[in-house]
């Protein structure tokens, strides 16, 4: 099978067969097909699309391109969740321990942050000693013993996605429903859980900027999961402003601890309870949303959810004294409040720009090998809908970099203040199952 014929076929808008898709994925992973031919095919996919059958076949070829994780030694239903990424998204740090405290097994592989988005692994690694690379048998034992482990992807998990994603990133071919859905779902399916919950974000700080595209992507991923026999559900959630208040690694870990102790920002709590309920239903650990929410609330109130987080930190080599006493975490050298110069109501906070501002303060990476400053970031003091008086603090920036004045001005400009009260939207807009 010649790669050029596969490219020509897709260029003409025809459906690729399972064998053609398998041949290009396997050939690319082995190094037999060069980047330039795969780039041409990816661009043809961008313009001509892929139907559901092609997308299922692409997902299957990718998930079988490397190792798959066998979680069958762990008793009970193994649940997984995935967020399409955003700013201030520390949900896994809170939700994971909450559901594990309810007896559900969470075996999760997470990613790192790039550009304006943060990554769960970086947040966890801001806890001194915390290891996100552990042998797979240790990962499985930890989930069996304490019900939760969050690690990075193993080296040979979905190598097709690693190569394809890097190529898509530099060839303007990220933005295709079929390519995004197969990329996410092949990794999730290769990770071996029985159920998958997808948090598909839309808005300024998300991959999908509008809700219709978010719905389409969510439906496609749910269809893929079901095609492979997994209970897969999706929530469509708002990413027009950062989630919670903290953006930046240590700052977000502190917020997660606060939320596990029953405090924390309302939007973060809302999404953790909603997603947690869905995961408990998927695992059959509750019969109704109400029962699930009550159980989760009990685990927060009793301190069991917080204890579960501590257990995970300890099991993965982290220093739990920082979790017990978050004031032990280092604080950035420079701190500056950003003040409102007029009164009114917050009508917008550009999530993507806030994410980029935090990155420039040192909290994120512009390139994959950039070093992160775990203390850097931004803590919002006002969210959309909040009333603001002139002189109020809108946000506080934290950085080790002395030249932060321009970024401080930029952060100020991310807040739009309206004269009139502003309607606040719910955080979760839709659920697909
Ligand atoms: N996240 C992924 O893992 N893959 C994509 O293609 C987009 C977002």
């Amino acid at each position: 099978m010649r790669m050029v014929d596969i490219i020509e076929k897709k260029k003409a808008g025809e459906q690729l067969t399972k064998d053609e898709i398998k041949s290009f994925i396997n050939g690319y992973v082995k190094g037999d097909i060069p980047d330039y031919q795969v780039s041409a095919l990816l661009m043809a996919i961008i313009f001509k699309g892929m139907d559901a059958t092609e997308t299922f076949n692409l997902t299957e070829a990718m998930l079988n391109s490397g190792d798959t994780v066998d979680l069958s030694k762990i008793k009970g239903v193994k649940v997984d969740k995935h967020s399409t990424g955003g700013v201030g998204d520390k949900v896994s740090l809170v939700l994971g321990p909450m559901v594990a405290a309810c007896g559900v097994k969470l075996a999760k592989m997470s990613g790192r942050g790039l550009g304006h988005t943060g990554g769960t692994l970086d947040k966890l690694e801001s806890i001194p000693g915390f290891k996100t690379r552990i042998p797979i048998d240790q990962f499985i034992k930890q989930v069996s013993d304490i019900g939760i482990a969050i690690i990075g992807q193993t080296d040979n998990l979905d190598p097709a996605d690693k190569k394809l994603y890097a190529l898509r990133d530099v060839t303007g071919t990220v933005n295709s429903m079929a390519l995004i859905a197969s990329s996410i779902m092949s990794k999730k399916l290769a990770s071996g859980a029985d159920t998958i919950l997808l948090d598909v974000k839309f808005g300024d700080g998300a991959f999908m900027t509008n809700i219709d595209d978010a719905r389409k992507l969510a439906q496609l991923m749910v269809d893929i999961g079901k095609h492979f026999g997994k209970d897969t559900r999706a929530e469509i959630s708002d990413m027009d402003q950062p989630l919670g208040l903290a953006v930046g690694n240590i700052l977000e870990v502190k917020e997660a601890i606060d939320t596990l102790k029953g405090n924390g920002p309302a939007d973060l709590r809302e999404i953790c309870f909603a997603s947690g309920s869905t995961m408990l239903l998927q695992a059959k650990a509750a019969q109704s949303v109400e029962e699930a929410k009550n159980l989760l609330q009990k685990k927060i109130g009793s301190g069991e959810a917080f204890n579960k987080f501590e257990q995970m930190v300890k099991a993965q080599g982290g220093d739990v004294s920082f979790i017990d006493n978050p004031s032990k975490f280092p604080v950035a050298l420079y701190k500056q409040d950003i003040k409102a110069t007029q009164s009114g109501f917050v009508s917008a906070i550009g999530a993507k720009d806030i994410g980029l501002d935090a990155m420039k303060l040192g909290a994120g990476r512009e390139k994959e090998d950039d070093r992160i400053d775990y203390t850097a970031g931004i803590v919002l003091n006002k969210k959309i809908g909040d009333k603001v008086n002139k002189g109020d603090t809108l946000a506080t920036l934290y950085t080790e970099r002395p030249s932060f004045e321009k970024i401080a001005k930029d952060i100020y400009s991310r807040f739009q203040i309206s004269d009139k009260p502003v309607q606040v939207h719910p955080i979760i807009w839709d659920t697909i199952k």
Side-chain angles (χ1 to χ4, degrees):
M1 203 173 292
R2 293 189 327 149
M3 183 62 181
V4 66
D5 296 330
I6 299 177
I7 298 169
E8 289 284 3
K9 200 170 165 187
K10 185 43 72 185
K11 191 176 80 177
E14 290 173 42
Q15 187 194 52
L16 299 181
T17 66
K18 186 169 184 161
D19 282 347
E20 285 163 344
I21 290 172
K22 231 163 96 177
S23 136
F24 111 73
I25 289 292
N26 292 344
Y28 186 45
V29 171
K30 272 200 244 147
D32 295 344
I33 301 175
D35 279 352
Y36 54 81
Q37 282 191 306
V38 176
S39 307
L41 179 61
L42 291 171
M43 195 53 90
I45 293 171
I46 289 279
F47 284 111
K48 298 294 178 179
M50 274 186 147
D51 67 17
T53 306
E54 289 175 295
T55 310
F56 297 160
N57 289 334
L58 177 59
T59 307
E60 187 170 357
M62 288 168 77
L63 87 91
N64 288 328
S65 69
D67 299 338
T68 51
V69 183
D70 178 5
L71 300 176
S72 61
K73 282 197 190 129
I74 305 168
K75 289 204 184 75
V77 182
K78 279 73 72 180
V79 299
D80 197 0
K81 62 119 355 204
H82 177 83
S83 155
T84 55
V87 180
D89 184 355
K90 69 281 290 173
V91 168
S92 293
L93 271 54
V94 183
L95 174 63
M98 281 170 73
V99 297
C102 298
V104 168
K105 303 280 168 46
L106 180 86
K108 179 158 171 54
M109 293 190 182
S110 287
R112 295 192 182 280
L114 191 62
H116 72 281
T117 63
T120 299
L121 294 186
D122 301 318
K123 294 169 205 193
L124 287 170
E125 285 174 0
S126 73
I127 302 166
F130 195 101
K131 289 197 256 321
T132 56
R133 279 178 78 95
I134 57 178
I136 200 74
D137 46 349
Q138 197 179 320
F139 171 67
I140 289 171
K141 185 173 181 323
Q142 184 179 321
V143 179
S144 288
D145 291 349
I146 64 167
I148 179 169
I150 303 179
I151 62 168
Q153 269 169 35
T154 50
D155 287 338
N156 197 36
L157 188 112
D158 205 340
D161 183 62
K162 288 193 182 87
K163 281 191 85 168
L164 278 177
Y165 197 78
L167 190 62
R168 286 166 59 208
D169 204 24
V170 292
T171 54
T173 54
V174 168
N175 225 5
S176 134
M177 290 279 172
L179 295 178
I180 296 174
S182 56
S183 163
I184 293 174
M185 290 307 290
S186 58
K187 284 178 288 207
K188 289 284 111 182
L189 292 164
S191 312
D194 303 309
T195 75
I196 300 164
L197 174 63
L198 302 157
D199 177 5
V200 180
K201 301 207 174 286
F202 76 96
D204 174 70
F207 251 110
M208 297 290 140
T209 47
N210 70 70
I211 189 158
D212 293 337
D213 285 347
R215 274 205 190 98
K216 273 188 214 145
L217 178 65
Q219 188 65 60
L220 182 55
M221 292 196 289
V222 168
D223 292 344
I224 295 173
K226 286 186 178 160
H227 178 80
F228 289 94
K230 307 278 180 184
D231 178 332
T232 308
R233 306 185 194 191
E235 283 158 358
I236 315 288
S237 73
D238 181 284
M239 190 30 80
D240 246 356
Q241 62 177 335
L243 183 60
L245 300 172
V247 180
N249 299 285
I250 286 176
L251 300 168
E252 291 192 47
V253 169
K254 285 180 168 174
E255 187 168 274
I257 292 171
D258 209 28
T259 309
L260 281 165
K261 287 189 166 166
N263 308 310
D267 56 349
L268 176 61
R269 279 206 315 269
E270 189 183 329
I271 206 162
C272 289
F273 275 93
S275 299
S277 304
T278 304
M279 287 167 89
L280 294 193
L281 292 178
Q282 287 181 295
K284 309 214 169 8
Q287 304 310 315
S288 67
V289 172
E290 203 192 356
E291 187 196 335
K293 282 201 174 149
N294 286 340
L295 188 57
L296 291 164
Q297 188 56 59
K298 235 168 80 187
K299 299 298 175 185
I300 292 275
S302 65
E304 288 167 86
F306 173 75
N307 290 345
K308 200 47 87 179
F309 184 58
E310 257 191 350
Q311 282 175 17
M312 176 179 78
V313 169
K314 190 165 176 212
Q316 292 185 231
D319 184 342
V320 284
S321 69
F322 286 81
I323 309 304
D324 292 334
N325 179 10
S327 63
K328 262 187 86 170
F329 277 107
V331 178
L333 194 57
Y334 304 102
K335 172 180 175 207
Q336 178 154 310
D337 290 338
I338 288 126
K339 304 276 188 187
T341 54
Q342 68 184 92
S343 299
F345 298 86
V346 179
S347 58
I349 308 172
K352 182 170 184 183
D353 284 333
I354 288 282
L356 289 170
D357 296 335
M359 181 194 81
K360 288 179 201 153
L361 292 170
R365 307 182 177 83
E366 210 153 351
K367 298 184 286 358
E368 252 173 76
D369 53 356
D370 284 349
R371 202 188 65 80
I372 283 185
D373 167 11
Y374 291 129
T375 63
I378 299 164
V379 177
L380 306 179
N381 194 46
K382 298 285 178 188
K383 297 263 296 191
I384 292 177
D386 285 354
K387 186 165 181 357
V388 174
N389 291 316
K390 188 174 168 183
D392 281 354
T393 298
L394 295 171
T396 305
L397 72 75
Y398 296 83
T399 188
E400 298 280 321
R401 301 178 179 174
S403 49
F404 56 80
E405 285 307 326
K406 156 96 175 58
I407 303 173
K409 283 200 187 101
D410 288 342
I411 295 171
Y412 168 79
S413 73
R414 309 309 179 206
F415 284 81
Q416 284 175 32
I417 311 285
S418 143
D419 296 340
K420 297 186 201 76
V422 172
Q423 199 199 339
V424 183
H425 295 295
I427 181 88
I428 294 181
W429 284 61
D430 209 350
T431 303
I432 293 173
K433 59 177 180 173

